[in-house]
Amino acid sequence: MRLLKPLPQADPGEPDARSAVHYLLWLLRKQWRSLLVAGFFGTTWMACIGALPGAIGQGIDDGIAPRDTGGLILWSSVIVGLAIAMAGLGTIRHRMAVYNFLNGAYRTVQVATRHATRVGAILPRRIATGEVVSVGSADPTAIGMALDVIGRTIGSVVTFIAVAIILLNISPLLGTIILIGLPLQALIIGPLLKPLQNREHAYREEQGKLTSRANDIVAGLRVLRGIGGEELFTTRYAEKSREVREFGFRVAAASAVMKGLQMLLPGVLLVAVTWVGARLTAAGTISTGELVAVFGYTAFLMMPMGTFLETARKYTSAYAAARRIVTMLQVEPSVSDTADPHATVERIDRLLDPQSGLAPTPRKLTALACTDTADATAIIDRLARYVDSDASADGTPLARIPLLNLRQLVLVSDNDAYFFAGRLRDQLDPRGSGEDARLLRAVETAVASDAVDSVGGLDGDLDAEARNVSGGQRQRLRLVRALLADAPNLYLIEPTSAVDAHTESLIAQRLREYRTGLTTVVVTTSPLMLEQADEVCFIDDGKVKATGTHRELIASDMDYYALVTRDSAEPEIVEEVAT
């Protein structure tokens, strides 16, 4: 019989992110079936353990005390049967616990990953990198552990009540001592949970900040070495690490006190029960077998009480993790996808940005020469709908086109585009749809053969952020990846700013040929690139001031001439400059 189904791979649904409690309740609703199954096996497993003291006591009273071999064999068989059942049920219970752990953890990872993808580039501006790393690594584990313990928690509640009734029937005095003593332990330990929760939350926050600082140091290591700042930042990191260690010590101290009390208080209770039980047995109020059973029940009840405290600890950690997850889920994307997902478009010929007046000519190479690069970035953000605006595609407002559909038709490539660690081929062609000939053609167009060779070819390994290649090689590899996407509308922001003039000239010539029949827009002020453009749009103060070829604009617009030649003087022989 198949008890488990595969972990969910489909969309896990939108969680309730109003608060940490709402998020945890959402997870419980999502997994209620498997949690109930875990509760059933947890209850039956603990019931078998709880029945052992009674069986042993009966074996003493019915078999050993009267020297009845039949009774002894009977209760010995019962004990063996309970042990076998414990083994089988315990295996299934543990399997269900692991399933719930993995299900909850991976569901959280799915939720976080999908939301990060939906939010996009705005996420690192709102939440520190270390916090995001924790949400994707440590926090799902804390969430999964909280779901792992539920099966045993349900079993603990049921068996605690059942054993309490049995104890009261054996001896009201002993039953009362046990049933008062165990909750009293919880009342003593319970107030320690809140400080532990606060300390864990503070520790996680400081740990996230330390992770962010480590990421920053690794990302800027070359720069730090260049300016001799390694020792300074190493010292600061060590100081911050010591602070985080102190927070960890505080968490450990609170946890140690709690665990110490968990050992001390049950021991005191066990001594009290043993002393009172021995006196009752000596007085003939209870039998020897009942005394043994009471002792066993008392020892057994430590298990559900320990489970209750373990549940409290794990849900304290899960609550702190859920708070961080909810904080991330409450970050809204810069644009909302409210369009009908079925209202897709197959192609976009002309994009229009009314705010600037830019409308790149379809299937041509257009260059944007801007007095301020920020203006070009703002225009492209509107045309690619990274921000809401009145931009349109073939007369249709971009807001009416589903974002996923728009992203497939319009691609923006800038110099901040990230490289993940892995095989170069996979980084350049993430879809895995390209043949070697196609890959090499894009590499040749971007003049990136040296970058490919430096990592050992297309099957070589690329470090995270492409740190094992130079800045110019990294820029050309970004261009290769953008070209391989074959986007109908491609926007390149300063794609040759880090290469020499000869390389830039080759890229400009080859880019025009590679993108024949497709719309390409390049933000640049380089004459080598501008010369190859079919059309140049001169943008000043966020508006299209003039449009024409490079030679036409340099001959007719003094501001354009000053921008591309870095010379504010009026040209005496414009034709020579154009040439």
Side-chain angles (χ1 to χ4, degrees):
M1 181 178 66
R2 188 181 181 88
L3 293 173
L4 305 182
K5 63 180 181 179
L7 292 176
Q9 298 297 326
D11 189 342
E14 288 298 323
D16 189 339
R18 285 177 289 172
S19 68
V21 173
H22 286 96
Y23 180 77
L24 292 174
L25 290 176
W26 174 81
L27 276 178
L28 293 177
R29 289 195 301 270
K30 280 290 182 179
Q31 297 181 212
W32 68 270
R33 292 181 179 84
S34 61
L35 291 173
L36 282 180
V37 173
F40 170 77
F41 285 105
T43 301
T44 53
W45 172 68
M46 293 195 75
C48 290
I49 300 175
L52 276 176
I56 294 172
Q58 288 296 324
I60 292 173
D61 287 343
D62 296 348
I64 296 177
R67 299 181 181 276
D68 184 350
T69 304
L72 182 61
I73 293 175
L74 172 64
W75 287 106
S76 297
S77 301
V78 170
I79 293 171
V80 171
L82 288 173
I84 294 173
M86 284 165 49
L89 293 171
T91 300
I92 300 174
R93 179 208 62 78
H94 180 70
R95 187 178 181 187
M96 291 303 304
V98 172
Y99 175 81
N100 285 320
F101 165 79
L102 294 175
N103 204 339
Y106 285 129
R107 192 183 296 276
T108 298
V109 170
Q110 285 180 329
V111 167
T113 303
R114 291 176 192 277
H115 186 74
T117 303
R118 185 171 68 90
V119 171
I122 197 174
L123 183 61
R125 303 176 193 171
R126 302 287 178 84
I127 300 179
T129 304
E131 293 288 307
V132 178
V133 171
S134 294
V135 169
S137 56
D139 291 341
T141 300
I143 296 293
M145 293 300 291
L147 298 177
D148 168 291
V149 78
I150 284 181
R152 285 184 290 129
T153 303
I154 295 174
S156 296
V157 172
V158 174
T159 53
F160 184 90
I161 294 173
V163 170
I165 295 173
I166 294 173
L167 284 172
L168 289 173
N169 286 331
I170 293 175
S171 171
L173 176 59
L174 285 176
T176 302
I177 293 174
I178 294 170
L179 295 180
I180 291 178
L182 290 175
L184 184 61
Q185 295 179 31
L187 291 176
I188 294 174
I189 297 176
L192 298 176
L193 291 175
K194 186 63 176 179
L196 178 60
Q197 176 182 334
N198 293 336
R199 292 184 182 188
E200 283 195 343
H201 181 67
Y203 174 65
R204 287 179 179 275
E205 284 189 345
E206 294 301 317
Q207 200 173 34
K209 293 177 182 177
L210 183 64
T211 303
S212 297
R213 180 166 295 187
N215 289 337
D216 292 341
I217 291 175
V218 172
L221 191 57
R222 287 187 178 182
V223 177
L224 291 177
R225 286 177 175 172
I227 63 177
E230 291 175 270
E231 184 176 351
L232 174 62
F233 278 84
T234 300
T235 302
R236 290 181 178 176
Y237 182 83
E239 291 175 353
K240 188 65 178 178
S241 180
R242 284 193 291 271
E243 292 178 11
V244 174
R245 184 180 61 186
E246 291 301 320
F247 277 95
F249 284 157
R250 294 174 190 173
V251 173
S255 180
V257 170
M258 181 178 294
K259 290 182 179 180
L261 289 174
Q262 283 181 251
M263 298 295 292
L264 174 63
L265 297 178
V268 171
L269 179 62
L270 197 58
V271 170
V273 169
T274 303
W275 184 76
V276 174
R279 291 180 64 86
L280 291 175
T281 303
T285 306
I286 61 175
S287 67
T288 304
E290 288 176 329
L291 175 62
V292 172
V294 168
F295 187 86
Y297 284 134
T298 304
F300 165 75
L301 286 178
M302 303 303 174
M303 179 184 292
M305 287 304 301
T307 301
F308 295 151
L309 293 172
E310 179 186 356
T311 303
R313 287 200 310 271
K314 288 186 175 180
Y315 271 86
T316 297
S317 299
Y319 180 79
R323 284 176 61 180
R324 185 151 42 197
I325 293 168
V326 167
T327 300
M328 175 181 169
L329 295 179
Q330 289 175 344
V331 176
E332 293 295 331
S334 54
V335 293
S336 56
D337 191 3
T338 57
D340 181 357
H342 301 292
T344 58
V345 295
E346 294 184 0
R347 58 182 293 177
I348 292 177
D349 285 329
R350 182 181 290 271
L351 286 163
L352 170 63
D353 175 35
Q355 188 170 332
S356 64
L358 178 66
T361 304
R363 293 175 290 282
K364 297 291 184 181
L365 175 60
T366 302
L368 303 185
C370 305
T371 55
D372 186 353
T373 305
D375 291 335
T377 302
I379 292 172
I380 290 176
D381 281 348
R382 293 194 292 268
L383 288 176
R385 203 176 172 236
Y386 287 116
V387 296
D388 285 320
S389 68
D390 54 358
S392 62
D394 300 325
T396 302
L398 294 185
R400 295 184 182 177
I401 302 176
L403 275 178
L404 180 59
N405 182 206
L406 185 64
R407 297 289 179 259
Q408 293 170 339
L409 299 174
V410 181
L411 173 65
V412 177
S413 177
D414 58 22
N415 290 317
D416 292 327
Y418 190 87
F419 278 109
F420 294 93
R423 195 171 60 157
L424 179 60
R425 179 192 304 274
D426 300 330
Q427 299 302 309
L428 299 180
D429 186 21
R431 299 174 184 173
S433 57
E435 300 290 338
D436 279 2
R438 179 171 170 268
L439 284 166
L440 293 174
R441 180 169 176 253
V443 169
E444 181 183 6
T445 300
V447 195
S449 298
D450 61 322
V452 174
D453 293 338
S454 69
V455 298
L458 292 173
D459 293 317
D461 290 328
L462 194 67
D463 290 349
E465 297 184 2
R467 288 190 295 266
N468 56 335
V469 297
S470 68
Q473 290 174 328
R474 188 181 307 122
Q475 187 178 58
R476 282 174 281 152
L477 289 177
R478 288 192 180 102
L479 179 57
V480 172
R481 183 167 61 183
L483 294 174
L484 287 171
D486 282 334
N489 296 269
L490 175 62
Y491 289 80
L492 302 171
I493 301 178
E494 298 286 357
T496 57
S497 60
V499 301
D500 58 78
H502 175 69
T503 303
E504 184 177 31
S505 177
L506 291 175
I507 292 174
Q509 296 171 23
R510 295 173 183 178
L511 177 64
R512 179 189 180 96
E513 178 184 353
Y514 188 96
R515 294 284 298 174
T516 299
L518 299 172
T519 303
T520 309
V521 178
V522 181
V523 177
T524 182
T525 55
S526 167
L528 295 172
M529 186 67 73
L530 294 168
E531 180 68 29
Q532 295 296 324
D534 297 303
E535 179 183 66
V536 177
C537 295
F538 176 43
I539 298 175
D540 187 24
D541 196 24
K543 305 286 184 182
V544 177
K545 181 181 178 183
T547 301
T549 65
H550 172 60
R551 298 197 176 203
E552 291 171 349
L553 292 180
I554 206 169
S556 61
D557 193 296
M558 295 304 306
D559 292 332
Y560 177 80
Y561 170 83
L563 176 66
V564 300
T565 63
R566 280 70 170 176
D567 186 1
S568 59
E570 183 174 349
E572 296 179 0
I573 307 176
V574 174
E575 290 298 328
E576 290 184 8
V577 175
T579 303

